[in-house]
Amino acid sequence: MQLDGALADLLALVHTHGEVNQNIVNRVTVSPSAALPDHSATWPYDLASLVNPRDASVLLLFGSMDDRPATFDRTIVPKELDVLLTQRSMVLRNHPGQVSFPGGGLELNDVDATACAIRETQEETGVDPKGIIPIGTLPVLPLPVTNFQVTPVLGWWQHPDDNEMITTEEATRVFRVPVGDLVNPKLRVTAVASDRSSKHRYGTPAFTVGGTLVWGFTAMILDRVLELLGWAEPWDPRYVIDISNWDATKPVPTAFYDPDHPGIDLHGINRTG
């Protein structure tokens, strides 16, 4: 697949599950791809669990952003296709050190979720908003730990030779990850942790990419988006990394095979949709 094919798939994703940006016809020359895998629901999560949530948005910015191709060769995903991620500062109150998409809470001067996501991306990474083509939005999904309802905004980076990025007080690292590496089953694990107060054990999909671990809310979005696009490869959730006492200042723990790990299919077969 070439980059135009990836853009066509992303357009189809938003056309099928969300709302396409009304100006997209003036910004790109490709059309949505013919078909994506059939899913009855976009997100297998329940917004009803939130009470008076705040609005927020994140930007999933795709495109060719550097000259480092993916190491995993998958014909359906261009080797040069990247997605932009940030690593949150360790001094932040919420999600310190975690890898995330750029984004944040909606402010009074933001006309909509797309404007919010692009503003936050510029503030956190230095990306020039003029280089971002908004593709559209996907349905909101909950982030219970901060009581946000988050709108994922899909964007396309149109200036591969103009990608100067910065670090800020909020984002101590800004980096691009080849999407092909996110697809690689050998780089997929389950991140598990124990809640210190209730001793409840929970897990999320995770990716060992970019010299760090992408887990939690961001990894859940990536996992589902790859699934909806039909780009995902089957992976074994019994390969586990325990992050109970880990933070981003430390090396990523070694994954281990846990044959007794619950047979939860994190690839989507046994979930809604």
Side-chain angles (χ1 to χ4, degrees), residues 19 58 60 69 84 101 105 151 154 157 163-164 172 217 220 248:
E19 184 175 347
V58 293
L60 283 65
L84 182 68
F101 300 113
T151 299
L154 269 66
W157 180 243
N163 52 9
E164 184 69 24
T172 57
F217 185 70
M220 292 165 70

Side-chain angles (χ1 to χ4, degrees), residues 89-227:
S89 170
M90 291 298 297
V91 302
L92 294 177
R93 182 179 64 179
N94 294 321
H95 316 295
Q98 283 193 27
V99 174
S100 64
F101 300 113
L106 200 71
E107 297 185 354
L108 290 177
N109 60 336
D110 294 324
V111 297
D112 55 21
T114 298
C116 172
I118 293 176
R119 173 186 56 77
E120 288 279 352
T121 298
Q122 182 185 26
E123 293 175 0
E124 294 178 17
T125 72
V127 168
D128 185 351
K130 295 178 182 178
I132 299 172
I133 300 176
I135 298 173
T137 59
L138 294 176
V140 297
L141 68 164
L143 184 54
V145 68
T146 52
N147 203 42
F148 278 118
Q149 56 180 18
V150 182
T151 299
V153 178
L154 269 66
W156 187 260
W157 180 243
Q158 65 175 340
H159 298 315
D161 298 323
D162 182 19
N163 52 9
E164 184 69 24
M165 298 182 189
I166 61 174
T167 57
T168 65
E169 292 182 358
E170 289 190 28
T172 57
R173 184 184 176 205
V174 180
F175 61 108
R176 308 90 160 175
V177 172
V179 175
D181 289 350
L182 295 170
V183 170
N184 187 349
K186 293 182 179 180
L187 302 180
R188 302 292 309 269
V189 295
T190 302
V192 298
S194 297
D195 184 274
R196 294 177 180 175
S197 58
S198 65
K199 303 301 181 183
H200 175 69
R201 196 155 177 83
Y202 60 91
T204 77
F207 305 81
T208 56
V209 294
T212 189
L213 182 69
V214 184
W215 66 284
F217 185 70
T218 300
M220 292 165 70
I221 294 178
L222 283 170
D223 172 72
R224 186 62 172 175
V225 165
L226 293 175
E227 208 175 285

Side-chain angles (χ1 to χ4, degrees), residues 13 16 21 27 35 60 84-85 108 134-135 152 162 204 249 257 273:
L13 172 66
T16 302
N21 187 281
R27 304 290 300 274
L60 283 65
L84 182 68
L85 297 173
L108 290 177
I135 298 173
D162 182 19
T204 77
T249 65
Y257 182 75

